[in-house]
Amino acid sequence: MLKGYAKTVVVRDGTRVTLRPLVKEDEAKLKDFFATIPLEDRWYLKEDVSDPRVIEGWVQGIDYGRVVPIVAEAQGEIVADATLHRRPFGASRHVGEIRVVVSPRYRGMGLGTWMALDILNLAMETGVEKVIAELIAEEQAPVIDGLRRLGFVEEARVADYARDPQGKPHDLVIMARTFYPDWGTF
């Protein structure tokens, strides 16, 4: 499943970035990366990445069968993190969930798109037939637009699902991209 790594991509400013699976030795780098993410962005993540125990749990408990974590590294630093979450059993085992976080310094340079494409290829390689993404409508509008360009469609919207740090409600948007087993890779 993780054949072909490390991969090098070039972002819009010409910087070469390496995409590779997260390994246990990345714990300090991953903590440093998430420390660069502003509170207003971390607020909408599913876990409190400012808690070192969360990151420690991720890297010490790597299980590529459940979560495939891919990091982007530039000049010795992790600058983005993308994950494919899968369920090994049950009615939704054909569905994966994508999550991508990009350093503010690397936003608007195409890195998020590279990461999403890489995760989508991994999803197809592992037999995932549908990939979903959960986003906060107003707060993550650029990400929603980017996923639309990659063929995702809005399949559901839950009104007032999330509240920002000031207590203002925001809608949850559930986007999906469906694949078919005989498509191959991008």
Side-chain angles (χ1 to χ4, degrees):
M1 164 183 46
L2 294 172
K3 295 178 277 187
Y5 286 96
K7 300 175 183 179
T8 300
V9 299
V10 179
V11 296
R12 287 191 185 109
D13 73 350
T15 302
R16 299 175 72 77
V17 179
T18 301
L19 308 185
R20 62 173 178 76
L22 179 73
V23 293
K24 290 180 179 180
E25 294 77 22
D26 289 324
E27 184 174 335
K29 286 182 182 182
L30 195 61
K31 287 176 183 174
D32 291 344
F33 162 69
F34 278 112
T36 72
I37 305 302
L39 173 61
E40 55 269 15
D41 294 340
R42 285 185 282 122
W43 187 257
Y44 299 104
L45 299 179
K46 294 195 177 197
E47 295 187 63
D48 180 5
V49 294
S50 67
D51 182 345
R53 294 171 298 185
V54 169
I55 307 301
E56 180 181 329
W58 289 353
V59 296
Q60 297 307 316
I62 291 174
D63 176 357
Y64 296 128
R66 290 184 153 279
V67 178
V68 182
I70 302 297
V71 294
E73 191 171 31
Q75 300 165 354
E77 295 180 34
I78 291 177
V79 297
D81 174 67
T83 52
L84 173 64
H85 298 256
R86 299 177 301 152
R87 293 164 191 83
F89 172 79
S92 61
R93 64 182 290 200
H94 66 289
V95 178
E97 181 181 354
I98 184 174
R99 300 178 193 167
V100 179
V101 181
V102 178
S103 166
R105 290 188 338 240
Y106 283 81
R107 292 180 188 168
M109 294 167 56
L111 183 56
T113 301
W114 278 116
M115 300 293 287
L117 284 169
D118 201 57
I119 292 295
L120 292 175
N121 275 323
L122 283 170
M124 285 190 289
E125 287 174 14
T126 59
V128 170
E129 296 174 23
K130 180 175 273 210
V131 177
I132 63 165
E134 295 182 358
L135 302 147
I136 305 303
E138 302 84 7
E139 299 298 313
Q140 296 175 310
V143 179
I144 292 169
D145 290 341
L147 289 176
R148 278 195 181 105
R149 287 191 298 276
L150 295 177
F152 280 76
V153 294
E154 183 176 321
E155 289 203 349
R157 183 177 286 253
V158 181
D160 300 339
Y161 178 86
R163 298 202 184 275
D164 64 25
Q166 292 73 40
K168 179 183 174 198
H170 296 276
D171 294 352
L172 173 72
V173 175
I174 300 172
M175 300 188 73
R177 171 77 198 252
T178 302
F179 300 111
Y180 299 95
D182 58 350
W183 276 13
T185 59
F186 284 109

